[in-house]
Amino acid sequence: MAFFSGLLGNAGDYDRDQAAAEFARLLGPGEAVEQAFKLIRDVILLTSRRIILVDKQGLTGRKTEYLSIPYRSITRFSVESAGHLDLDAELKIWVSGAAEPIQRTFNAKVDVYALQAIIAAKIP
């Protein structure tokens, strides 16, 4: 089911320690991964300082984009929980200077309330 959910574009939980080890080169001194999600090859990291969106591109995944969103640049955000017929949860983040939100979809197993609590605690 997790693979099918990934094909639909829904990210699921990803082991925090494994994510921290895999993306250690991206983390600054004293920065820690607090929560991580994986969508087939793409990863979403919520660290102590920012949100990092990892987008692997192409057939081989050798080309990778790392989008860093400092919590201080988030102007607002919304979460939408999964429902009975709508099996995915959504996160939308509006960043200063951008008109459209950055949007990611999660499977129903992701606790979007915990996700929003982390973001809410980090926004100044």
Side-chain angles (χ1 to χ4, degrees):
M1 187 69 174
F3 179 74
F4 183 68
S5 181
L7 288 178
L8 293 176
N10 301 333
D13 287 320
Y14 183 40
D15 183 73
R16 183 173 50 191
D17 295 331
Q18 184 178 351
E22 183 177 347
F23 298 102
R25 297 183 307 164
L26 297 176
L27 303 176
E31 185 175 17
V33 174
E34 296 183 351
Q35 196 163 4
F37 303 95
K38 189 165 191 170
L39 168 65
I40 302 180
R41 298 186 308 176
D42 297 342
V43 176
I44 302 166
L45 303 172
L46 279 75
T47 76
S48 53
R49 297 183 189 162
R50 59 195 164 139
I51 298 172
I52 302 171
L53 304 176
V54 181
D55 179 17
K56 296 199 176 196
Q57 303 169 1
L59 292 175
T60 62
R62 290 189 63 177
K63 183 176 180 182
T64 306
E65 176 186 16
Y66 302 98
L67 177 62
S68 178
I69 305 168
Y71 291 115
R72 69 179 178 277
S73 69
I74 297 173
T75 58
R76 66 181 192 232
F77 69 96
S78 71
V79 293
E80 181 181 299
S81 63
H84 291 294
L85 297 176
D86 186 12
L87 300 177
D88 54 355
E90 293 181 4
L91 168 67
K92 292 180 185 175
I93 300 172
W94 284 264
V95 179
S96 59
E100 295 297 317
I102 297 168
Q103 184 173 331
R104 293 296 186 262
T105 306
F106 300 88
N107 64 35
K109 293 181 182 179
V110 172
D111 183 358
V112 292
Y113 301 105
L115 174 63
Q116 76 85 33
I118 290 173
I119 295 172
K122 301 293 183 182
I123 294 177

